[in-house]
Amino acid sequence: MLKEKLLKVFAENPNEFISGEKISQQLGCTRTAIWKHIDELRKNGYEVESAPRKGYRLVRKGDGIHSHEIKVGLQTKRIGHEISYYEETDSTQIIAHQLAQNQANEGHIVIANEQTAGKGRLGRTWHSRQGTSVSMSLILRPELPPQKTPQLTLLTAVAVVRAIHANTGLDCQIKWPNDVLINGKKLVGILTEMQADPDFVHSVIIGIGVNVNQSREDFDPDIRDIATSLLLEKNEPVDRAAVISAILNEFELLYDLYLEEGFSPIKTLWEAYSMSVGTNIYARTMKEVLYGYAVGITDDGVLLLRDESGETHSIYSADIEIASQK
Ligand code: BTX
């Protein structure tokens, strides 16, 4: 808590020296306690200058994604207030499922600095290298029928695109249902899972993986040509904690809008960021490969594809490949 407050004081006074006395007044603690926390920040990669009679000045932030580093930029009412942080874990989804079973509150998030067995959709793997990416799972408890939960995947994609734009100025596009791409390469993966009875959702676990500071060589050879990172697109390192708080801020705004007004305003936003609507696509489902024109999505987030014979297919789950612009 003190560390979080200390980082807030630095954030409110960028590049300025702040006296030890002023900090201790604002934080309500002794100057020895401040000195101890500054020492810990330094051990976590922060560069803090100290000068006699002037106080302390934050020269450079570390690249940590601990709770106190995320909370500095958090503007939410409930999402992200409870954070479980892991230096290394197999998958944040697995931990979030366990927490959800043990009555974790809506908005609780699980974050890992490294995932050793990150989960993608349909049994696939999600790669996340130590210290370079964002791997987080968000626990929600919406009062929704199970068939509506795919809407939350689409909502999350919109939140991520908006957060990345706000944080880095980069423009991403969404490929139905859950890929966030930049210049045609995959930047973000979203995995929505739930714990539900046939007609009641106990919890929805939304997993978000963002490639932040990977270089090309950091990606495994099999995904090197299809994956990208914020560092590669922006040509400069990006603060992971700020990306996380921006995503949570955008998510809460859209989630509250969704709970109040339903899917319609989210759908409009999703369509504005989508690259897979209004084009010819191939849709690889479990059963077949369909080719046709992507007409749009329904209010349940189902993709509508009109094939060459004029028949319209409802696609619930598939991998999409863009064929050509119409
Ligand atoms: P997906 O099935 O759409 O994407 C997985 C596919 O994407 C892989 O088969 C591979 O081809 C490619 N891929 C794997 N890793 C990366 C990467 N880092 N960047 C780009 N492409 C990649 C997407 O599944 C859902 C991913 C969710 C990941 C989050 S991370 C936090 C949470 N915990 C967890 O275990 N999963 C989620």
Side-chain angles (χ1 to χ4, degrees), residues 91-93 115 117-121 124-127 135-137 178-179 186 189-191 207-209 211 219 223 226-227:
S91 157
T92 56
Q93 288 293 99
Q115 277 193 137
K119 287 163 66 177
R121 287 184 306 147
R124 291 188 287 235
T125 305
W126 182 258
H127 300 272
S135 306
M136 72 170 161
S137 298
N178 70 339
D179 280 353
K186 197 152 159 169
I190 299 165
L191 172 68
I208 305 173
N211 300 327
F219 289 115
I223 58 165
I226 58 163

Side-chain angles (χ1 to χ4, degrees), residues 90-109:
D90 43 6
S91 157
T92 56
Q93 288 293 99
I94 294 173
I95 302 205
H97 274 290
Q98 288 161 357
L99 287 169
Q101 260 158 5
N102 290 321
Q103 317 305 324
N105 291 318
E106 167 153 289
H108 191 126
I109 60 169

